[in-house]
């Protein structure tokens, strides 16, 4: 499989839940730029099913979460979200598969 690397710079104000989700059309990881936040994992899309938090401090790169690829080119992750404890900036690094490169 071959990929195109893309980067998205995100900002969220203090005390923001940035949406619990589990599907992406790419493989992702995150690097904290400013402020303090958390990557959170959940059992379901409900906030009260929190199972894991990874503290994101400036300069920290989140380890890749395990994911599986689906039959239409997407990637299934554990339910997760970014949470901003303070005003935060972080970089989302995305690996997008080239069309037709799925095994
Ligand atoms: Fe995500």
């Amino acid at each position: 499989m071959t990929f195109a690397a893309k980067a998205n710079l995100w900002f969220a104000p203090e005390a923001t839940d940035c949406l619990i989700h589990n599907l992406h059309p790419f493989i992702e990881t995150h690097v904290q730029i400013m402020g303090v936040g958390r990557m959170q994992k959940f059992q379901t899309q409900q906030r009260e099913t929190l199972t894991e938090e990874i503290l994101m401090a400036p300069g920290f790169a989140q380890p890749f979460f395990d994911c599986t690829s689906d039959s239409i080119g997407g990637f299934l992750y554990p339910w997760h979200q970014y949470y901003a404890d303070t005003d935060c900036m972080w970089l989302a690094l995305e690996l997008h598969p080239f069309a037709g490169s799925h095994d």
Side-chain angles (χ1 to χ4, degrees):
M1 196 179 299
T2 55
F3 296 90
K6 299 183 180 181
N8 275 315
L9 185 63
W10 291 89
F11 170 81
E14 179 180 344
T16 300
D17 286 300
C18 295
L19 184 64
I20 300 171
H21 59 285
N22 69 346
L23 288 172
H24 285 291
F26 48 77
I27 294 172
E28 70 170 4
T29 189
H30 306 88
V31 177
Q32 188 74 11
I33 304 297
M34 180 200 86
V36 175
R38 298 176 235 174
M39 286 302 303
Q40 300 176 314
K41 287 186 188 176
F42 304 85
Q43 290 182 322
T44 71
Q45 198 169 16
Q46 304 307 310
R47 194 174 196 283
E48 55 274 9
T49 66
L50 178 69
T51 59
E52 183 180 346
E53 292 185 302
I54 299 171
L55 185 65
M56 299 288 290
F60 181 77
Q62 169 222 317
F64 283 93
F65 290 163
D66 288 340
C67 66
T68 56
S69 59
D70 66 20
S71 60
I72 57 170
F75 296 92
L76 181 63
Y77 280 86
W79 291 101
H80 65 281
Q81 77 163 349
Y82 184 89
Y83 176 81
D85 289 278
T86 67
D87 289 355
C88 282
M89 287 178 56
W90 70 99
L91 194 62
L93 300 172
E94 303 170 354
L95 299 175
H96 294 253
F98 283 112
S101 70
H102 262 260
D103 292 328

